Amino acid sequence: QVQLVESGGGLVQAGGSLRLSCAASGSTFGIRAIGWYRQAPGNQRELVATIRRDGSTDYADSVKGRFTISRDDAKNTVYLQMNSLKFEDTAVYYCKAALSRVNYWGQGTQVTVSS
């Protein structure tokens, strides 16, 4: 099993920055990719960014150029640096670890951007 703990959310003004962290523990050797997702009230959960085992990354069009996903293997932690935040970035942000046959989710962290 893999346990994920997100942190770093909070309240920020539009144009500001936040860095989210996703700390993984347990059977982390089996992780193929970690993704950041977000879900705003009334909306479906959407993929924001992904980082794979080989280091390759993908981003949703809505965050390209503003968000950066990275990782620190020594700390088993994946980060989401969010710059130039917009009101529409307000959501609960979750990280997900994808293994070969199962996915694990964290509990989420709230990001609120005031306009």
Side-chain angles (χ1 to χ4, degrees):
Q1 284 196 347
V2 173
Q3 295 78 42
L4 301 172
V5 178
E6 300 101 331
S7 61
L11 174 64
V12 64
Q13 288 188 334
S17 299
L18 282 175
R19 189 178 79 158
L20 305 182
S21 299
C22 172
S25 60
S27 301
T28 58
F29 60 88
I31 296 175
R32 294 186 170 187
I34 288 186
W36 280 101
Y37 291 72
R38 65 186 180 188
Q39 187 168 19
N43 291 356
Q44 290 187 335
R45 193 170 296 187
E46 62 174 354
L47 177 62
V48 175
T50 300
I51 187 164
R52 300 177 189 84
R53 185 183 293 171
D54 64 3
S56 61
T57 58
D58 283 319
Y59 296 91
D61 287 343
S62 59
V63 306
K64 281 181 181 177
R66 299 189 298 123
F67 290 10
T68 302
I69 190 170
S70 62
R71 71 184 187 211
D72 184 334
D73 291 337
K75 296 182 179 180
N76 285 328
T77 299
V78 170
Y79 303 100
L80 186 68
Q81 178 67 43
M82 305 186 296
N83 299 329
S84 302
L85 282 162
K86 304 176 181 179
F87 175 75
E88 50 265 40
D89 294 319
T90 296
V92 178
Y93 283 71
Y94 300 88
C95 63
K96 183 190 82 174
L99 284 72
S100 61
R101 297 184 179 184
V102 65
N103 298 322
Y104 294 95
W105 290 88
Q107 82 289 350
T109 185
Q110 176 71 47
V111 171
T112 303
V113 183
S114 61
S115 58

